[in-house]
Amino acid sequence: MTPLHTLTTLAAEEKSQQVTDWAARIGWVVGLLLFIALVYWLMREGWKWRGTLQGDLPELPTAPEEPGEATLTMAGRYHGSTTAGQWLDRIVARGLGTRSRAELTLTDQGVGVVRPGAEDFFIPAAALRGARLDKGIAGKVLAEGGLLVITWEHGGREIDSGFRSDRAAEHAAWVEALTAQHHSNRHDMEGAR
């Protein structure tokens, strides 16, 4: 074998790199983006449909002008509201589905919930049905006991609203105070009969 023959054989065996098909890649990227946009649109429509189904929920109560002396305060996050006892049945009507920062204030008249960037609401003392520590609400799962869940009645339905304090050690004091206030209110209503 001559050196020229060897070079010719090597040159014939070498193949060039495959050229990237940019049109196919761009087509795949555009298709993926359209699919993501479709999924997002369907989720948004589902959210609006759920709001329509829950349209019978009356306006949320607002804090009274003189709410009274604050017994407890808490800064943290509002994680959402659900139908009581059904931690995945999210309530989106009246802005209750919007997660946000929250500041809670407990007075003798109830619980004031101030939410920057979302609608504030008030849970009247007469509407309180209980409080507990839990680990999840509205699809949000935290550590065991990492969530303060307040059960209250509004518009003929019982609602669980979930809050997480910036200092989780505060949760137990809130459960104790809300439970005592609920029992006191129930006792007062039974005495009035």
Side-chain angles (χ1 to χ4, degrees):
M1 243 193 213
T2 65
L4 183 60
H5 186 296
T6 305
L7 285 175
T8 316
T9 307
L10 285 175
E13 290 177 3
E14 286 185 22
K15 299 210 183 224
S16 64
Q17 288 271 337
Q18 187 175 5
V19 177
T20 303
D21 185 2
W22 286 105
R25 282 195 180 187
I26 290 172
W28 275 104
V29 169
V30 168
L32 181 62
L33 291 175
L34 287 173
F35 177 73
I36 290 170
L38 174 68
V39 168
Y40 176 77
W41 179 79
L42 288 171
M43 287 171 51
R44 187 165 180 231
E45 290 301 307
W47 187 272
K48 288 196 297 189
W49 177 249
R50 182 176 281 271
T52 302
L53 291 175
Q54 298 167 348
D56 63 334
L57 191 69
E59 289 291 326
L60 296 175
T62 56
E65 288 185 29
E66 294 294 325
E69 183 81 24
T71 308
L72 285 173
T73 60
M74 179 174 81
R77 294 202 60 79
Y78 168 75
H79 285 288
S81 292
T82 63
T83 302
Q86 299 179 20
W87 76 284
L88 289 175
D89 187 19
R90 180 188 294 264
I91 296 175
V92 300
R94 307 290 181 210
L96 288 175
T98 306
R99 291 186 174 148
S100 63
R101 292 285 304 159
E103 295 175 10
L104 276 68
T105 305
L106 176 64
T107 66
D108 288 338
Q109 293 192 32
V111 179
V113 181
V114 176
R115 301 186 306 153
E119 187 177 344
D120 300 341
F121 62 96
F122 185 76
I123 302 172
L128 285 173
R129 297 295 179 259
R132 69 182 186 280
L133 296 180
D134 212 327
K135 66 179 180 177
I137 194 164
K140 180 71 171 178
V141 179
L142 302 165
E144 187 68 45
L147 196 66
L148 168 67
V149 177
I150 300 173
T151 303
W152 55 295
E153 190 273 328
H154 179 62
R157 78 174 65 169
E158 286 198 354
I159 299 172
D160 282 343
S161 294
F163 303 91
R164 179 167 176 82
S165 174
D166 290 338
R167 294 182 302 277
E170 296 178 332
H171 290 166
W174 274 83
V175 169
E176 186 178 318
L178 289 167
T179 302
Q181 188 166 15
H182 169 64
H183 289 307
S184 173
N185 289 340
R186 199 170 74 192
H187 180 24
D188 290 346
M189 288 190 306
E190 287 173 0
R193 288 182 194 170

